Amino acid sequence: QKEVEQNSGPLSVPEGAIASLNCTYSDRGSQSFFWYRQYSGKSPELIMFIYSNGDKEDGRFTAQLNKASQYVSLLIRDSQPSDSATYLCAVRYGNKLVFGAGTILRVKS
Amino acid sequence: GAGVSQSPRYKVAKRGQDVALRCDPISGHVSLFWYQQALGQGPEFLTYFQNEAQLDKSGLPSDRFFAERPEGSVSTLKIQRTQQEDSAVYLCASSLGGPQHFGDGTRLSIL
């Protein structure tokens, strides 16, 4: 059973702070990892993807992968109220994605 | 179109009725996926097509669920004899082999 675990939250941070979202996965052989943002009633929107150990940065977003510890993180710098959403972590197994249940992020202005 | 298009956006059906949900992927995307998302949960994989071939249907919850993509473009997910537990958002995604891009989904409510 391939599992992806996330803390459901909500995670509350003040505007301008760094939001840190975490995800653990069960299959040590996993190769590809994705973060999606989902606003209420909307589709999941791809934020970041990462394939190799280390950090990947894109604007205010940084994805971190640690394969030895089997976790993936998403950091959001200078958090804005518009970042308030559910963040879904996904791991690719073969051709399909296995998702965590998502972490609700609330950025307070 | 620019993104994955799904229709209808909302569907209400009585228990026992058949429903059909449509997905129009991003032009040129050979891979197409269907997911089911229950309230407060992440999407769960249903089935996967590469062009017109259905290569994985391991996530379909029962034989009441059927998906097709006859010409390798538009796909239809059909649910026969709907049950209340089928109420969910059905998401379609497409890709060129890399990250998957999702449509806005069809919210299905079974009364």
Side-chain angles (χ1 to χ4, degrees), chain B residues 10-65:
Chain B
Y10 303 92
K11 176 70 178 176
V12 179
K14 292 182 179 178
R15 187 164 58 93
Q17 288 183 329
D18 298 348
V19 298
L21 313 178
R22 175 189 168 103
C23 172
D24 200 340
I26 294 171
S27 179
H29 280 195
V30 297
S31 298
L32 184 146
F33 306 81
W34 285 97
Y35 291 83
Q36 180 190 60
Q37 187 173 24
L39 190 65
Q41 299 297 315
E44 291 196 1
F45 171 81
L46 295 177
T47 188
Y48 157 63
F49 290 85
Q50 185 169 316
N51 295 306
E52 69 278 5
Q54 189 175 19
L55 299 185
D56 188 345
K57 53 182 182 179
S58 62
L60 295 176
S62 78
D63 59 7
R64 297 186 296 105
F65 287 70

Side-chain angles (χ1 to χ4, degrees), chain A residues 34 36 38 41-46 49 51 88 92 95-102, chain B residues 9 33 35 37 40-43 45 48 58 91 97-104 107:
Chain A
F34 304 84
Y36 287 84
Q38 188 172 32
K42 298 294 186 181
S43 63
E45 174 192 7
L46 182 68
F49 58 93
Y51 298 146
L88 296 164
R92 185 159 72 187
N95 289 298
K96 67 183 181 184
L97 295 178
V98 176
F99 285 85
Chain B
R9 286 297 317 278
F33 306 81
Y35 291 83
Q37 187 173 24
Q41 299 297 315
F45 171 81
Y48 157 63
S58 62
L91 294 165
Q100 296 177 23
H101 299 274
F102 284 82
D104 281 341
R107 183 175 298 276

Side-chain angles (χ1 to χ4, degrees), chain A residues 72-109:
Chain A
V72 194
S73 298
L74 179 69
L75 301 178
I76 307 175
R77 289 181 299 282
D78 188 23
S79 295
Q80 301 297 309
S82 59
D83 294 327
S84 298
T86 297
Y87 289 80
L88 296 164
C89 172
V91 179
R92 185 159 72 187
Y93 293 105
N95 289 298
K96 67 183 181 184
L97 295 178
V98 176
F99 285 85
T103 298
I104 297 170
L105 173 65
R106 294 181 181 154
V107 181
K108 299 172 293 185
S109 58

